[in-house]
């Protein structure tokens, strides 16, 4: 029997060295470059602004660290991907530093697949309440209906995008951020916007411009 296996790593400033260890383990166990095994690299984050964890990377910071780490690793396996790029994904993809991330379920001008109409799926808890995003499962204030009554409604999530937000349409970051995370938006909209702008500016200054200069030999 062939059973596909996905291992996900949530990376912060304390455990980032384990990426290299995981690649070594994949090589030792014969998992490297195998279609039935995939490693997903994500980042520890705080969508609901609750934990104030001091060791979190910003999106661009983790991307920058991965660029440094991957330069030192030989025989990087092909069966891995990162899964944390949001506002910076399209520009990262443009300059080929997306580290195998793909956004098949994400429409343009949407922050993530949860607000995209390409997928109709949702998560279900033990009470058969439905949730659109895995970060919200079990938080009753974010449930979108109960499957026993056939009243699951995705509209509040689907309407969260660039086109439906006037403030995003006039924002210089709107086309990249597209309203940001729907959950974080409900908790602290102002803080979310500031953090998205800080992350994007860091990406432009520390990654995009230096990489662009390499392309044009400046």
């Amino acid at each position: 029997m062939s059973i596909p296996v996905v291992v996900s790593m949530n990376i912060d400033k304390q455990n980032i060295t384990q990426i290299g260890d995981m690649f070594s383990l994949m090589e030792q166990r014969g998992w490297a470059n195998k279609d039935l095994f995939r490693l997903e690299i994500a980042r520890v984050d705080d969508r609901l602004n609750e934990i104030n964890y001091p060791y979190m990377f910003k999106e661009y910071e983790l991307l920058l660290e991965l660029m440094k780490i991957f330069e030192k690793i030989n025989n990087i396996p092909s069966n891995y991907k990162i899964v944390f790029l949001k506002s910076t994904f399209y520009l990262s993809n443009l300059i080929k530093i997306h580290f195998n991330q793909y956004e098949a379920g994400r429409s343009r001008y949407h922050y993530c697949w949860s607000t995209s109409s390409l997928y109709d799926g949702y998560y279900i808890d033990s009470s058969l309440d439905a949730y659109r995003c895995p970060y919200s499962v079990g938080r009753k204030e974010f449930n979108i209906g109960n499957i026993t009554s056939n009243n699951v409604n995705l509209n509040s999530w689907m309407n969260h995008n660039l086109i439906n937000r006037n403030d995003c349409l006039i924002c210089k970051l709107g086309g990249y951020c597209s309203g940001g995370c729907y959950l974080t938006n409900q908790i602290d909209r102002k803080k979310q916007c500031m953090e998205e702008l800080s992350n994007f500016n860091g990406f432009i200054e520390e990654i995009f411009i230096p990489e662009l200069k390499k392309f044009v030999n400046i």
Side-chain angles (χ1 to χ4, degrees):
M1 180 181 294
S2 298
I3 301 176
V5 174
V6 177
V7 174
S8 297
M9 300 179 67
N10 290 318
I11 301 301
D12 63 23
K13 295 177 181 179
Q14 292 188 307
N15 70 356
I16 190 168
T17 57
Q18 293 179 8
I19 293 175
D21 296 337
M22 188 62 192
F23 284 159
S24 296
L25 180 64
M26 289 168 64
E27 186 69 33
Q28 294 168 11
R29 296 295 180 87
W31 303 336
N33 308 310
K34 300 297 183 181
D35 293 337
L36 291 176
F37 183 89
R38 185 171 76 244
L39 174 67
E40 294 185 348
I41 301 172
R43 70 183 184 94
V44 176
D45 59 21
D46 185 14
R47 295 295 182 188
L48 298 176
N49 292 337
E50 292 178 325
I51 61 176
N52 296 314
Y53 184 60
Y55 302 108
M56 288 184 292
F57 282 112
K58 291 182 179 180
E59 186 177 301
Y60 89 89
E61 290 175 334
L62 180 50
L63 183 60
L64 188 61
E65 290 302 312
L66 285 179
M67 293 171 66
K68 297 174 183 177
I69 289 173
F70 275 52
E71 287 181 354
K72 301 175 183 178
I73 298 177
N74 296 321
N75 301 320
I76 296 174
S78 60
N79 52 333
Y80 82 93
K81 69 172 183 174
I82 63 173
V83 294
F84 60 85
L85 293 177
K86 298 304 177 189
S87 297
T88 63
F89 172 74
Y90 294 107
L91 289 179
S92 296
N93 191 47
L94 183 65
I95 57 177
K96 310 300 181 184
I97 55 168
H98 50 79
F99 294 97
N100 292 340
Q101 178 167 338
Y102 56 88
E103 295 286 89
R106 175 181 172 188
S107 303
R108 191 175 185 183
Y109 303 134
H110 292 71
Y111 183 76
C112 72
W113 73 268
S114 295
T115 60
S116 170
S117 60
L118 295 181
Y119 282 161
D120 292 331
Y122 41 81
Y123 300 85
I124 302 170
D125 69 8
S126 58
S127 301
L128 300 184
D129 285 331
Y131 302 85
R132 179 61 169 171
C133 170
Y135 286 98
S136 65
V137 175
R139 309 298 288 262
K140 297 303 182 180
E141 64 270 31
F142 295 116
N143 87 74
I144 55 175
N146 190 282
I147 64 171
T148 60
S149 56
N150 196 31
N151 68 342
V152 175
N153 190 328
L154 298 174
N155 288 344
S156 60
W157 290 80
M158 299 300 99
N159 291 331
H160 183 74
N161 55 61
L162 173 68
I163 305 304
N164 290 326
R165 296 199 63 97
N166 291 331
D167 54 341
C168 294
L169 285 172
I170 62 174
C171 174
K172 63 182 179 180
L173 190 59
Y176 297 99
C177 172
S178 301
C181 170
Y182 176 80
L183 290 179
T184 308
N185 186 273
Q186 308 307 305
I187 304 301
D188 192 334
R189 171 71 174 167
K190 183 177 180 180
K191 179 181 178 182
Q192 177 196 31
C193 290
M194 292 175 61
E195 289 182 347
E196 288 290 347
L197 182 59
S198 173
N199 174 65
F200 194 83
N201 285 340
F203 169 79
I204 294 297
E205 294 170 7
E206 297 194 39
I207 298 178
F208 190 79
I209 291 177
E211 289 297 308
L212 201 58
K213 286 182 177 179
K214 293 179 184 177
F215 282 119
V216 294
N217 296 317
I218 294 179

